[in-house]
Structure formats: structure tokens, C-alpha cells
Amino acid sequence: MNTTIIDGKSTAERVRNELRTAIEDLKQAGHTPGLAVVLVGEDPASRVYVNSKVKACEELGIYSQKWALPAQTSQEELLRLIDQLNRDERIHGILVQSPPPPHIDEAAVVLSIDPRKDVDGFHPVNVAKLVLEDSSGFVPCTPLGCMELLKQYGVSTQGKHAVIIGRSMIVGKPMAHLLMSKAANATVTIAHSRTHDLAGLCRTADILVAAVGRPGLVTAPFIKPGAVVLDVGINRVEDASRPRGYRIVGDVEFDSVAPLCSAITPVPGGVGPMTIAMLMANTVKACRQITARG
Ligand code: GUN
């Protein structure tokens, strides 16, 4: 099989280049898009993600605020900060990095964010808008990035069978809605930890999305020859040969799976870079929508 390796890095760069024009237009009209990124606690992976998000803003000329709060920050303090950001006219997007420390009620935090500034697409108003196919809502960045990759690589979803492994609110569920939408018209199956004969089910997929966080779960017997495989997993596995002592792998065993596919995303360099690019796109969209309403 002649396998296309889907390049998330260059596709993300293409998305960013399109955003540069949109941001310039907004600035000409007197509006600078602004994003607030909030991190509670010291989780090292979360800190890396948050810094990457702020850096992406700087590179595009998006105004950003980074709030790194100590792990013992109370729920009340966090809600007060969100209230302040909801009212800050320089800020069009608010993101609280997940997962927060265990004493924080994440659902209450998400509910406190103004849905018009919820660039993560986690607020129930935006979840409903996704289900209703109301394009004014915000869609979570990772599934949005997956759809953009399919589009940029000319992968038709029309009438195809898409199997998604994983039912999270961040990836699996929104991805299912995007793929079954009237724009994409795929037939969607969501698999999860209780699914019987996972490999057999996945082998019926024209498009397979792996989003469970289990390194190397998807192996050759899961693949229908010619399938398109999107690997959303970002897993740290110990590797003494690396200076950091670990390496990043996906949910797909790339070396055995890739030769069977018509196209596949690698890890790293596939879906990952798209997530931040789509966050930037959502921030620009929020700015446009908020400022148009005055
Ligand atoms: N943690 C992992 N992915 C995400 C994301 O897309 N948004 C937020 N807020 N936290 C995350």
C-alpha cells in the first residue's frame, strides 16, 4: 500500500497562515483577538501545553494572558478569576487547562465560562450547538483539527464507516458528531472499554480514530486495508535511551499499521500540532463574533 503520512505540522502552519490574514483584518478594524490560558497546579505535561498555547498566540499577534495558579488555589478563587476574564474586553477566549487538581469541580468551572468565550467548546451551550449543527458554537480543538486534516488531505467522509475508539467529551463524542453531521455524512460507531471484539469492529472502519490513551492499542488486525487512521493518543512511555527518560507514542502501533493504511497520522507530528492551531482559530472566531455584536 502506498501510504500517505498525514503531516500535522505543515497543515497547522497552513492554518496559522490563513489566520494571520484574518487577525490583520480584525486589527485594522480595531480589534486584537485575546486569549487567557489558566493553569492550576504544577502538572509538567499541562505546563508544556499551556506554554505552547501562549507561544502560538505570540507568534500570531494574538494578545494573551497566562495565569499559572498554585495547586492549592480554591474553587472560589478560580471562579473569581474566570468572572474577571468573562468581563475583560481584551479577552475573547478563556481556556482552563484540564485536568485541574482533584479538589476543583471541573464541571462547575466550565459552566462559569461565558459560552461566547469558551474556545475549548466544553460548555453545555457549545456542546448543544455542536449536536444542533449550529455553526456559531465552539467545537473542541482536537476533533476540529482531525476534521481539518481529513479536509486538507482530500479524505471524503461521505457514506464512509467511521469507528472512534474512545468516548471522551474532549475528543470521542465531539468527533462522532462532526463525522455524522450533514456536512460529513459518515456512519459512525463509537467503541469503548466494554466493546466486544474491538479489533473485529475496527476492521470494518474506512476511517479509524484512536482516542483512548492506550499506547499501541491499535495493531495490524484492527485495520481494513486502505483505511485512514487518525491517532489522537499522546502517551509517555519509559525509554531509557532518551535524554528525558521517556518518549511520546500514540494509541496506534505505527510501524505495523502504517503499511496497511491509505493514510495515517504519526505521533508526534500528526493530530497534536493541529490542536493548538484550531485553538487559535477558535479565538479568532470568538473575537469576530463578540466584536460584531458590539
Ligand atoms: N487537556 C488536554 N487537552 C485539552 C484541551 O483541549 N483543552 C483543555 N482546556 N485542556 C486540555
Side-chain angles (χ1 to χ4, degrees), residues 51-125:
N51 288 338
S52 307
K53 289 167 186 178
V54 171
K55 194 164 150 241
C57 286
E58 284 165 3
E59 278 170 9
L60 286 179
I62 292 177
Y63 168 71
S64 66
Q65 291 181 6
K66 175 180 153 185
W67 294 85
L69 309 178
Q72 64 272 21
T73 301
S74 70
Q75 172 93 0
E76 223 180 19
E77 286 169 306
L78 180 56
L79 292 182
R80 252 201 310 274
L81 171 62
I82 292 169
D83 181 51
Q84 175 191 319
L85 297 172
N86 279 339
R87 286 185 283 106
D88 189 332
E89 290 194 349
R90 297 167 299 174
I91 296 297
H92 307 98
I94 301 170
L95 178 148
V96 180
Q97 186 66 26
S98 180
H103 68 279
I104 299 287
D105 176 355
E106 195 171 6
V109 171
V110 166
L111 264 183
S112 75
I113 296 172
D114 182 339
R116 294 171 307 166
K117 297 190 176 186
D118 168 39
V119 285
D120 257 331
F122 294 169
H123 191 287
V125 164

